[in-house]
Amino acid sequence: VATAAISVDVSDRSALAAALTDIRRAHGSIRTVVHAAAAIGWNSISETTAKELADGYAAKAVGADNLVDLLENDPPDTFI
């Protein structure tokens, strides 16, 4: 079993596609994905700007959509 931890902006579809291609070349099919993306700010919710909220949303929701789309033809057994 091989594991790889990478750092990539999952909201950047092109960068994510390139990272997935590199992983597949090095290790074969991707069997498990742990989507741990986050954009963390240190403000209280009342002090959070619309941009900060959008950045946090992009890291999780847009990133998850990109992962699902890019893994569609060879889906992992587990997606967390």
Side-chain angles (χ1 to χ4, degrees), residues 6-19:
I6 63 165
S7 177
V8 62
D9 180 354
V10 292
S11 66
D12 180 340
R13 187 181 175 93
S14 296
L16 179 58

Side-chain angles (χ1 to χ4, degrees), residues 27-72:
H27 303 286
S29 292
I30 297 169
R31 302 288 25 118
T32 300
V33 173
V34 178
H35 174 39
I40 299 171
W42 297 107
N43 293 334
S44 66
I45 192 70
S46 63
E47 296 173 341
T48 300
T49 67
K51 179 171 179 358
E52 291 167 335
L53 184 62
D55 289 347
Y57 175 79
K60 286 310 268 185
V62 173
D65 280 345
N66 285 341
L67 279 164
V68 168
D69 289 345
L70 293 169
L71 295 168
E72 182 176 28

